[in-house]
Amino acid sequence: MAVYPSVTLLVRDVKTSALFYENALGFTHVNDGLLLGAFGQSLRLMEGRDTVAGGCVILTFEVSNVLKIVDKILSHGGGRAEKLIGHEPLYLGLDGEVIALRERGIPGAERVKLIVYDFDGVMTDNTVTVDQDGHEAVRANRSDGLGVGLIRTLGVEQVILSTETNPVVRARAEKIGLEAFHGVSDKGAALQELAARRDIAIGDVLYVGNDTNDLEAMNLAGFTVAPHDAHSAILALADFVTTASGGHGVIRELADVLISARK
């Protein structure tokens, strides 16, 4: 996952500015002026400014929908700046800080009702260890378990669809509370069956895959996501490519995208 630097901003009133960033940009106020944004961004507010910043501070935030955020900035006391970054407009916070917005995410992701995950290369780094008795083991990322939980709070269904027959797939699925289908040879047909069984339109299904055996399913799903180390054919189909590689927080990153889309 991407790592963003923590930014400290001097403001006239921490409580007032915190409410602005919560309401306008969807930040969550943790404590003592610390706010967390949608894509791993953090902002610490400290009192210490008697006059407005006058545009001396430029903050860049990634958001899921720039137009929606602009409306919120303007309706919660912010304004438009006269400056541009290239051809992109800038905006003003309550203390004169300049705000730049970059759109990131999946357009329409608030419609997603079902997520189907490939296992190897998405929940794992696509490697396997084999002991002298032929027993296989894989590495999974705990942050993905947290991501599954966060997505569950949105009311989005999630399942695992894997071509592997290894019982480790089911074991990991049970650990994080997901239904798993493994040993699947035709992922496209399986995806259609999963959606039909749940009475969910295929256009409201998001598929996360990493290799060519996911092509058919990704061509059918309404939304597609791939780890950044996925096969080039999969990257070409993906609506969103995570900064995380397989097994290193793909689902946790996806959770931030889906949560941001609903704010």
Side-chain angles (χ1 to χ4, degrees):
M1 296 176 65
V3 178
Y4 298 90
S6 178
V7 176
T8 299
L9 178 67
L10 295 179
V11 299
R12 288 169 294 188
D13 183 80
V14 168
K15 186 175 181 180
T16 301
S17 291
L19 284 173
F20 170 76
Y21 280 99
E22 289 178 70
N23 294 327
L25 285 111
F27 275 73
T28 300
H29 193 184
V30 181
N31 55 43
D32 299 327
L34 176 64
L35 297 101
L36 300 180
F39 297 102
Q41 302 160 110
S42 64
L43 177 66
R44 183 173 292 281
L45 305 177
M46 297 181 63
E47 290 185 8
R49 185 174 295 284
D50 296 322
T51 59
V52 296
C56 296
V57 178
I58 300 179
L59 306 175
T60 300
F61 298 119
E62 290 186 329
V63 297
S64 62
N65 186 312
V66 167
L67 292 178
K68 182 166 68 175
I69 296 300
V70 168
D71 287 342
K72 289 184 177 182
I73 288 175
L74 299 179
S75 63
H76 287 91
R80 298 182 187 273
E82 295 180 0
K83 301 177 182 178
L84 300 174
I85 292 183
H87 298 289
E88 297 299 320
L90 299 172
Y91 305 91
L92 295 173
L94 300 186
D95 290 271
E97 67 272 24
V98 177
I99 298 171
L101 301 174
R102 292 179 182 168
E103 192 155 308
R104 180 184 178 207
I106 308 170
E110 65 277 3
R111 296 197 342 258
V112 173
K113 296 179 181 177
L114 170 65
I115 302 176
V116 180
Y117 303 108
D118 182 24
F119 185 72
D120 285 318
V122 172
M123 292 188 171
T124 78
D125 62 3
N126 220 16
T127 62
V128 61
T129 59
V130 184
D131 67 17
Q132 66 273 17
D133 298 315
H135 299 131
E136 296 184 354
V138 299
R139 289 169 58 90
N141 193 302
R142 288 190 183 277
S143 71
D144 280 341
L146 174 61
V148 166
L150 291 170
I151 293 170
R152 187 176 289 121
T153 66
L154 300 176
V156 177
E157 296 186 52
Q158 304 166 83
V159 300
I160 296 172
L161 195 63
S162 175
T163 56
E164 289 293 320
T165 57
N166 194 318
V168 72
V169 179
R170 188 171 298 279
R172 180 58 180 161
E174 290 176 357
K175 176 70 174 179
I176 57 179
L178 294 184
E179 187 175 12
F181 302 88
H182 56 96
V184 177
S185 59
D186 187 340
K187 288 189 173 182
L191 182 69
Q192 291 177 304
E193 183 180 345
L194 284 170
R197 190 184 307 164
R198 289 164 170 75
D199 196 26
I200 294 174
I202 200 76
D204 294 334
V205 177
L206 186 152
Y207 189 90
V208 188
N210 77 300
D211 216 327
T212 53
N213 61 342
D214 298 307
L215 281 171
E216 187 176 355
M218 292 187 79
N219 273 313
L220 291 169
F223 303 90
T224 53
V225 172
H228 90 263
D229 60 343
H231 188 280
S232 58
I234 296 298
L235 294 174
L237 279 178
D239 297 314
F240 182 80
V241 177
T242 63
T243 59
S245 57
H248 293 275
V250 170
I251 299 173
R252 180 65 186 85
E253 187 173 339
L254 176 59
D256 283 341
V257 170
L258 296 178
I259 291 169
S260 179
R262 284 162 168 75
K263 288 187 176 180

